[in-house]
CSV table of all heavy atoms in Angstrom, one decimal:
chain,number,residue,atom,x,y,z
A,22,THR,N,38.6,-33.1,42.0
A,22,THR,CA,38.2,-34.4,41.4
A,22,THR,C,39.1,-35.6,41.7
A,22,THR,O,40.3,-35.6,41.7
A,22,THR,CB,38.1,-34.2,39.9
A,22,THR,OG1,37.8,-35.5,39.3
A,22,THR,CG2,39.5,-33.9,39.2
A,23,GLY,N,38.3,-36.7,42.0
A,23,GLY,CA,38.9,-38.0,42.2
A,23,GLY,C,39.3,-38.7,40.9
A,23,GLY,O,40.0,-39.7,41.0
A,24,ASP,N,38.8,-38.2,39.8
A,24,ASP,CA,39.0,-38.9,38.5
A,24,ASP,C,40.5,-39.0,38.2
A,24,ASP,O,40.9,-40.0,37.5
A,24,ASP,CB,38.4,-38.1,37.4
A,24,ASP,CG,36.9,-38.2,37.5
A,24,ASP,OD1,36.4,-39.1,38.1
A,24,ASP,OD2,36.2,-37.3,36.9
A,25,VAL,N,41.3,-38.0,38.6
A,25,VAL,CA,42.7,-38.1,38.2
A,25,VAL,C,43.6,-38.6,39.3
A,25,VAL,O,44.8,-38.7,39.2
A,25,VAL,CB,43.2,-36.7,37.7
A,25,VAL,CG1,42.6,-36.3,36.4
A,25,VAL,CG2,43.0,-35.6,38.8
A,26,LYS,N,43.0,-38.8,40.5
A,26,LYS,CA,43.8,-39.2,41.7
A,26,LYS,C,44.6,-40.4,41.4
A,26,LYS,O,44.1,-41.4,40.9
A,26,LYS,CB,42.8,-39.4,42.8
A,26,LYS,CG,43.4,-39.0,44.1
A,26,LYS,CD,42.4,-39.0,45.2
A,26,LYS,CE,43.2,-38.9,46.5
A,26,LYS,NZ,42.4,-39.1,47.7
A,27,GLY,N,45.9,-40.4,41.8
A,27,GLY,CA,46.8,-41.5,41.6
A,27,GLY,C,47.3,-41.7,40.2
A,27,GLY,O,48.2,-42.5,39.9
A,28,LYS,N,46.9,-40.8,39.2
A,28,LYS,CA,47.4,-40.9,37.9
A,28,LYS,C,48.7,-40.1,37.7
A,28,LYS,O,49.0,-39.3,38.6
A,28,LYS,CB,46.3,-40.4,36.9
A,28,LYS,CG,45.1,-41.3,36.8
A,28,LYS,CD,44.2,-40.9,35.6
A,28,LYS,CE,43.1,-41.9,35.5
A,28,LYS,NZ,42.0,-41.4,34.7
A,29,THR,N,49.4,-40.4,36.7
A,29,THR,CA,50.7,-39.8,36.5
A,29,THR,C,50.8,-38.9,35.3
A,29,THR,O,50.2,-39.1,34.3
A,29,THR,CB,51.8,-41.0,36.2
A,29,THR,OG1,51.8,-41.8,37.3
A,29,THR,CG2,53.2,-40.4,36.0
A,30,ILE,N,51.5,-37.8,35.6
A,30,ILE,CA,51.8,-36.8,34.5
A,30,ILE,C,53.3,-37.0,34.2
A,30,ILE,O,54.1,-36.9,35.1
A,30,ILE,CB,51.6,-35.3,35.0
A,30,ILE,CG1,50.2,-35.1,35.3
A,30,ILE,CG2,52.1,-34.3,33.9
A,30,ILE,CD1,49.9,-33.7,36.0
A,31,SER,N,53.6,-37.2,32.9
A,31,SER,CA,55.0,-37.2,32.6
A,31,SER,C,55.4,-35.8,32.1
A,31,SER,O,54.7,-35.2,31.2
A,31,SER,CB,55.3,-38.2,31.4
A,31,SER,OG,55.3,-39.5,31.9
A,32,PHE,N,56.5,-35.2,32.7
A,32,PHE,CA,56.9,-33.9,32.3
A,32,PHE,C,58.2,-34.1,31.5
A,32,PHE,O,59.2,-34.7,32.0
A,32,PHE,CB,57.2,-33.1,33.5
A,32,PHE,CG,57.8,-31.7,33.3
A,32,PHE,CD1,57.4,-30.9,32.2
A,32,PHE,CD2,58.8,-31.2,34.1
A,32,PHE,CE1,58.0,-29.7,31.9
A,32,PHE,CE2,59.4,-30.0,33.8
A,32,PHE,CZ,59.0,-29.2,32.8
A,33,VAL,N,58.2,-33.6,30.3
A,33,VAL,CA,59.4,-33.7,29.4
A,33,VAL,C,59.8,-32.3,29.1
A,33,VAL,O,59.3,-31.7,28.1
A,33,VAL,CB,59.1,-34.5,28.1
A,33,VAL,CG1,60.4,-34.7,27.3
A,33,VAL,CG2,58.5,-35.9,28.5
A,34,PRO,N,60.8,-31.7,29.8
A,34,PRO,CA,61.3,-30.4,29.5
A,34,PRO,C,62.2,-30.4,28.3
A,34,PRO,O,62.5,-31.5,27.7
A,34,PRO,CB,62.1,-30.0,30.8
A,34,PRO,CG,62.5,-31.3,31.3
A,34,PRO,CD,61.5,-32.3,31.0
A,35,GLY,N,62.6,-29.2,27.9
A,35,GLY,CA,63.5,-29.1,26.7
A,35,GLY,C,64.9,-29.7,26.9
A,35,GLY,O,65.5,-30.3,26.0
Side-chain angles (χ1 to χ4, degrees):
T22 182
D24 290 340
V25 292
K26 216 168 166 191
K28 291 190 176 167
T29 300
I30 297 173
S31 283
F32 173 43
V33 184

